Structures are given as structure tokens and as C-alpha cells.
């Protein structure tokens, strides 16, 4: 299929943490390429972005470009936009998939530096990338901006700063959707639940000094749907739908992809 044929798609966080499975950003970049998109792979880790590029090329897709950038630095966010315009002339889809929770804690014990680091990457980076992309999309009279938030934005959990940052992403999406609808720009977020991705599994297994399958079993047991975590491909499929014309009348939403975890609320 060609749901993104000839559309210029910027995937922020197209690399991933090392691990046994595929991460959300890499899966989304692959899905977008399979649907005909012209993919710009952005990541702070150059080697990881190129690993994603190599995987996509093995499937026969060649309309790809990589950018090494740090989304916590505004000059880098501005450079992403200018480099894409210089090479492709437009930006149709901005997909923001950068985030972290490591070092989080409750308010009393959380160092300010950890708060700043998590908020800077999760929320401030999304704001900065959107800030420098929106003028291009407004000029075009078209565009799609989407980010990966988390079910943690609306559920209880231990990662306080992570939760606040993801709730902030949801609020920012709503605000941008209202402000930019008149320009033909749609803005949405996806809220993954418990997913079997390297970022979710590897650190927890390392910190607790247990096998990965112990973490997987615990997380599986928390999911209403079939007692099974989702995968990065579930997130990528949702991202593809929201980026495609099939979602042309959808803006300002936070879409749970969580096997029913948020259905417990209320």
C-alpha cells in the first residue's frame, strides 16, 4: 500500500536502545517507508539511526536521509527543519518519539537535575521541534504532527516526572491542534501502555538484576487484553493511521494503544 506515498516524514528518535526487540521509533520509520514515505531518520545516536536506515534499505527502500541531532538543543531542532527543507522542500509529517524515565522518583527525593533532564527531552524537545516545523506546515497549508506520549499520562505510577511530562505532551497537542486547525494541520498523540520494547525491558532487567522474561511476565499480567504486552509495531500502526489521509478529520486526540489499561480509569 502507499498511504504515505511521496510524503516527507521526519521521525525524531528513529534509532533505539539496544535490546532483543524493536523500538517504537524504528518500527514507525519502517512502517512509514513501507507505505511510500520519504523518511528522514533523526537521532542523537548516529550509529543507531544508521542501523535503522540499513534495515529499511534491506527491504528495497532508498528514499532516506539521516540527521544527527539533540532535541534538547534548540539550534539542533531548527537545523532539523532547515536540513529537511533544503533536501526535500517540505515537511508533511513530524513524528516525535523521544523520551526517557530513567532517574525518576517522587517529589521529595527527585534531584532537580533529573527533573530538568526528563522534562527537557520528553516535553521541551517536542515543543522545540514543533516550534520550528509549524511555520513550514502553515505555509504549505497542510501537515501532520504527532508524538508518543504514554498511558502513564492518565494512570497512576511511580515515575512522577515522566507522568507530568507526558501529560504535558497531551495538553500541548490539544493546544496546537486548536491553534493550527485553520492551517490544515492535524496534531495528535499516541499513548502506549505496557510495550515489549528495549527501552521498557532492558533497563528494568538491569536495575533489578533479573532475566528479561521476569519483567515481561510481570508486565503481561497487568494487561487486560489477552494478558499480553503490545509491541512497537502496534504503536507504529497507530502512527501510520494518524499520519495517513484515513485520519483526515482527526485532530487533538490522545489515542491509547494499551490493551485496555486506561479502560480501568473511572
Amino acid at each position: 500500500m502507499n498511504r504515505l506515498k511521496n510524503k516527507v516524514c521526519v521521525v525524531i528518535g528513529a534509532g533505539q536502545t539496544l535490546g532483543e526487540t524493536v523500538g517504537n521509533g524504528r518500527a514507525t520509520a519502517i512502517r512509514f517507508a513501507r507505505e511510500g514515505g520519504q523518511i528522514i531518520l533523526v537521532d542523537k545516536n548516529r550509529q543507531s539511526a544508521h542501523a535503522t536506515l540499513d534495515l529499511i534499505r534491506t527491504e528495497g527502500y532508498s528514499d532516506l536521509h539521516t540527521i544527527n541531532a539533540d532535541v534538547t538543543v534548540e539550534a539542533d531542532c531548527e537545523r532539523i527543519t532547515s536540513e529537511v527543507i533544503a533536501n526535500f522542500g517540505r515537511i508533511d509529517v513530524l513524528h516525535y518519539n523521544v523520551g526517557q524515565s530513567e532517574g525518576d522518583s517522587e517529589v521529595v527525593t527527585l534531584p532537580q537535575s533529573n527533573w530538568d533532564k526528563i522534562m527537557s527531552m520528553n516535553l521541551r524537545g517536542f515543543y522545540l521541534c514543533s516550534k520550528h516545523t509549524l511555520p513550514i506546515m502553515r505555509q504549505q497549508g497542510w501537515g501532520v504532527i504527532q508524538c508518543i506520549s504514554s498511558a502513564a499520562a492518565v494512570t497512576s505510577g511511580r515515575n512522577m516526572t515522566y507522568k507530568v511530562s507526558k501529560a504535558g505532551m497531551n495538553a500541548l497537542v490539544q493546544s496546537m491542534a486548536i491553534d493550527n486547525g485553520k492551517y490544515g494541520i492535524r496534531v495528535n498523540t499516541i499513548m502506549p501502555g505496557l510495550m515489549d520494547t528495549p527501552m521498557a525491558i532492558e533497563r528494568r532487567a538491569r536495575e533489578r538484576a533479573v532475566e528479561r522474561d521476569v519483567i515481561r511476565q510481570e508486565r503481561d499480567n497487568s494487561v487486560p487484553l489477552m494478558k499480553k504486552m503490545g509491541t512497537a509495531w502496534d504503536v507504529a500502526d497507530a502512527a501510520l493511521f494518524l499520519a495517513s489521509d484515513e485520519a483526515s478529520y482527526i485532530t487533538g486526540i490522545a489515542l491509547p494503544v494499551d490493551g485496555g489499561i486506561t479502560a480501568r480509569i473511572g
Side-chain angles (χ1 to χ4, degrees):
M1 297 180 68
N2 290 290
R3 285 184 279 179
L4 297 179
K5 185 177 181 180
N6 298 325
K7 289 185 178 177
V8 177
C9 305
V10 180
V11 180
I12 310 287
Q16 69 171 63
T17 303
L18 292 175
E20 298 176 327
T21 56
V22 66
N24 293 332
R26 179 167 290 172
T28 298
I30 293 170
R31 277 281 193 264
F32 282 8
R34 288 173 178 171
E35 293 290 335
Q38 298 174 297
I39 314 301
I40 295 86
L41 308 163
V42 182
D43 206 279
K44 184 178 180 179
N45 186 324
R46 187 188 305 272
Q47 184 177 359
S48 189
H50 278 276
T52 303
L53 181 143
D54 290 341
L55 283 170
I56 296 173
R57 281 181 172 166
T58 62
E59 297 191 16
Y61 306 107
S62 58
D63 206 352
L64 307 165
H65 184 79
T66 62
I67 298 176
N68 184 229
D70 181 349
V71 297
T72 66
V73 178
E74 181 165 12
D76 275 20
C77 297
E78 186 174 12
R79 179 172 55 82
I80 292 167
T81 301
S82 60
E83 192 167 329
V84 174
I85 294 301
N87 285 278
F88 294 89
R90 59 186 295 111
I91 300 175
D92 296 300
V93 179
L94 172 67
H95 178 87
Y96 189 86
N97 184 70
V98 177
Q100 70 172 45
S101 62
E102 190 167 5
D104 206 351
S105 179
E106 57 103 0
V107 172
V108 174
T109 58
L110 180 75
Q112 180 186 323
S113 59
N114 289 22
W115 165 278
D116 290 342
K117 186 175 181 180
I118 294 169
M119 293 295 287
S120 179
M121 181 175 290
N122 294 5
L123 181 56
R124 183 172 176 268
F126 177 49
Y127 142 68
L128 289 173
C129 288
S130 299
K131 173 184 177 180
H132 292 286
T133 300
L134 278 168
I136 302 299
M137 291 184 170
R138 287 181 177 186
Q139 189 175 34
Q140 293 170 176
W142 153 264
V144 173
I145 293 176
Q146 55 185 219
C147 67
I148 302 302
S149 173
S150 172
V154 296
T155 59
S156 60
R158 298 177 181 177
N159 293 322
M160 178 273 298
T161 318
Y162 183 77
K163 175 184 176 67
V164 172
S165 70
K166 295 300 186 177
M169 293 176 85
N170 290 359
L172 181 55
V173 159
Q174 289 179 321
S175 180
M176 290 196 296
I178 296 300
D179 291 342
N180 292 280
K182 61 187 175 184
Y183 299 105
I185 301 168
R186 297 188 295 106
V187 190
N188 294 297
T189 185
I190 296 166
M191 297 195 301
L194 297 176
M195 316 304 287
D196 191 350
T197 62
M199 192 175 109
I201 302 300
E202 300 297 328
R203 175 171 63 85
R204 289 172 174 85
R206 183 179 67 250
E207 288 177 348
R208 291 174 52 187
V210 298
E211 295 296 323
R212 298 178 183 89
D213 285 346
V214 172
I215 305 297
R216 289 191 172 102
Q217 188 61 59
E218 291 175 354
R219 289 164 67 87
D220 283 344
N221 289 339
S222 298
V223 181
L225 183 62
M226 302 296 289
K227 293 296 181 182
K228 191 70 176 175
M229 282 187 290
T231 72
W233 301 109
D234 296 310
V235 175
D237 285 340
L240 174 60
F241 167 67
L242 290 175
S244 74
D245 292 341
E246 295 167 14
S248 62
Y249 203 59
I250 298 175
T251 194
I253 70 162
L255 175 65
V257 180
D258 66 356
I261 286 176
T262 53
R264 292 191 174 116
I265 299 171

